[in-house]
């Protein structure tokens, strides 16, 4: 009997050690947020694998789940609508049911029918076309990779000249990301990013970067000047992950030691695609639902 009792004590001691699964079940994340990309809602029939009308019910499922899971906030990676700016209110009305704040990025489709970019940012309650916020010594950076784009009302501005130079450079170097649905960031935004990362690193804070267009690896869906963006990121060790949408198939790769996640698009699935991101002191976990892939990244 004493031997059995002794073995039981050893068993309890082992399984309750920090880092073991039973211990980890009671571990609470520092930050817990919802994530989705490319709902691309439109009141129209499916086209090949894109189920535009179903995105409304998928978003409702996403909202119910995120409220149930008590996330602290949710991030939309862009392309909430597909083709008609008037339909954005339908999606935003649904999102009002969330019991927490939504941080939006714009996607290339969100500019359809928009003549004033500021009106779009205001509608999405964005403080600016690119911005940041902080939670518990984690800095969340929201880039605007649509800033230099043919669809983003840059005609007659300095940004049009930057876009032209960027496209010429892509053509000269044989780049594959020069399609009209891709965009990039301005020199001004790059300078802003550089200063913010320098400030974050000096303060000992950790950083997550979010963009609509993927930054890595290079593909037909990558941001136009992804190399210049990553050159800035590469100067700092505070960046712990990069998240993007746009490429509905999703994807994953490491840029140096930084995990770069392309989130699967909600519109291009008969299931659904959304998830919860949990940030712990030693790791980041993505709990994907439907077609969104679950992943774990250990502390760098």
């Amino acid at each position: 009997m004493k031997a059995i009792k002794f073995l039981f004590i050893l068993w309890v001691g082992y399984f309750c050690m920090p880092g073991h699964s039973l211990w980890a079940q009671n571990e609470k994340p520092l930050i817990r947020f919802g994530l989705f990309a490319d709902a691309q809602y439109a009141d129209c029939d499916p086209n090949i694998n894109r189920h535009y009308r179903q995105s409304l019910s998928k978003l409702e499922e996403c909202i119910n789940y995120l409220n149930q899971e008590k996330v602290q906030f949710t991030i939309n990676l862009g392309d909430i609508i597909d083709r008609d700016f008037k339909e954005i209110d339908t999606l935003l009305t649904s999102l009002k049911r969330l019991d927490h704040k939504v941080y939006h990025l714009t996607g290339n489709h969100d500019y359809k029918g928009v003549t004033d970019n500021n009106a779009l940012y205001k509608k999405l309650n964005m403080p600016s076309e690119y911005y940041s916020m902080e939670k518990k010594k984690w800095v969340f950076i929201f880039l605007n990779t649509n800033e230099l784009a043919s669809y983003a009302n840059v005609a007659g501005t300095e940004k049009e000249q930057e876009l032209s130079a960027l496209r010429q450079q892509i053509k000269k170097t044989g780049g594959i990301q020069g399609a009209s649905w891709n965009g990039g960031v301005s020199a001004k935004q790059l300078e802003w990013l550089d200063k913010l990362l320098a400030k974050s690193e000096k303060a000992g804070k950790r950083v997550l970067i979010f963009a609509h267009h993927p930054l890595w690896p290079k593909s037909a869906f990558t941001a136009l000047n992804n190399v210049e963006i990553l050159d800035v990121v590469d100067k700092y060790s505070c960046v712990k992950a990069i998240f993007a949408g746009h490429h509905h198939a999703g994807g994953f790769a490491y840029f140096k030691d930084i995990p770069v996640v392309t989130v699967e698009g909600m519109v291009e699935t008969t299931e659904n695609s959304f998830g919860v991101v949990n940030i712990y002191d030693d790791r980041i976990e993505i709990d994907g639902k439907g077609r969104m892939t679950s992943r774990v990244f250990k502390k760098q």
Side-chain angles (χ1 to χ4, degrees), residues 153-213:
N153 305 302
V154 298
T157 70
E158 291 182 4
K159 291 181 181 180
E160 183 180 29
Q161 298 171 13
E162 279 196 78
L163 175 60
S164 178
L166 189 51
R167 290 198 180 282
Q168 288 177 21
Q169 180 64 19
I170 291 172
K171 187 175 181 179
K172 180 179 178 181
T173 58
I176 60 174
Q177 77 272 40
S180 61
W181 55 72
N182 294 331
V185 306
S186 66
K188 182 179 179 181
Q189 187 177 171
L190 279 176
E191 182 181 1
W192 171 83
L193 175 63
D194 198 352
K195 289 180 178 178
L196 183 53
L197 289 177
K199 182 180 178 182
S200 300
E201 183 135 308
K202 185 176 181 181
K205 296 173 182 176
R206 289 178 279 184
V207 174
L208 295 181
I209 293 177
F210 301 84
H212 178 65
H213 295 86

Side-chain angles (χ1 to χ4, degrees), residues 4-46:
I4 293 174
K5 185 177 180 180
F6 176 73
L7 288 173
F8 176 76
I9 292 172
L10 285 179
W11 183 87
V12 171
Y14 172 74
F15 282 94
C16 290
M17 287 175 62
H20 197 278
S21 58
L22 290 185
W23 176 278
Q25 286 176 6
N26 296 319
E27 185 183 6
K28 292 184 178 180
L30 300 171
I31 301 173
R32 180 172 172 81
F33 65 91
L35 184 68
F36 70 93
D38 299 277
Q40 284 187 221
Y41 170 74
D43 186 14
C44 62
D45 294 334

Side-chain angles (χ1 to χ4, degrees), residues 43-197:
D43 186 14
C44 62
D45 294 334
N47 180 15
I48 308 177
N49 293 321
R50 296 187 179 184
H51 305 272
Y52 302 105
R53 191 177 286 120
Q54 289 182 21
S55 285
L56 190 57
S57 59
K58 290 174 186 174
L59 190 62
E60 289 293 327
E61 179 187 0
C62 170
I63 289 166
N64 290 336
Y65 184 83
L66 296 179
N67 281 342
Q68 174 189 315
E69 291 297 304
K70 302 188 184 304
V71 301
Q72 295 160 283
F73 55 92
T74 288
I75 294 174
N76 159 36
L77 290 170
D79 276 357
I80 198 170
I81 57 171
D82 184 73
R83 65 193 68 181
D84 188 350
F85 182 67
K86 294 178 182 177
E87 292 182 318
I88 200 168
D89 286 327
T90 301
L91 277 295
L92 294 180
T93 298
S94 290
L95 286 170
K96 286 180 180 178
R97 290 205 309 104
L98 284 169
D99 56 15
H100 52 266
K101 184 175 177 61
V102 184
Y103 293 92
H104 292 281
L105 285 172
T106 56
N108 50 300
H109 285 267
D110 295 323
Y111 291 82
K112 296 288 181 69
V114 174
T115 56
D116 179 1
N117 291 351
N118 288 326
L120 173 60
Y121 308 142
K122 183 177 180 181
K123 175 70 76 171
L124 294 173
N125 198 29
M126 295 166 59
S128 184
E129 59 183 326
Y130 47 89
Y131 61 103
S132 68
M133 62 92 171
E134 185 177 334
K135 300 279 186 183
K136 297 183 179 180
K137 291 194 173 184
W138 280 81
V139 179
F140 293 71
I141 296 178
F142 301 93
L143 298 178
N144 182 8
T145 53
N146 306 282
E147 189 186 13
L148 302 182
S150 57
Y151 51 79
N153 305 302
V154 298
T157 70
E158 291 182 4
K159 291 181 181 180
E160 183 180 29
Q161 298 171 13
E162 279 196 78
L163 175 60
S164 178
L166 189 51
R167 290 198 180 282
Q168 288 177 21
Q169 180 64 19
I170 291 172
K171 187 175 181 179
K172 180 179 178 181
T173 58
I176 60 174
Q177 77 272 40
S180 61
W181 55 72
N182 294 331
V185 306
S186 66
K188 182 179 179 181
Q189 187 177 171
L190 279 176
E191 182 181 1
W192 171 83
L193 175 63
D194 198 352
K195 289 180 178 178
L196 183 53
L197 289 177

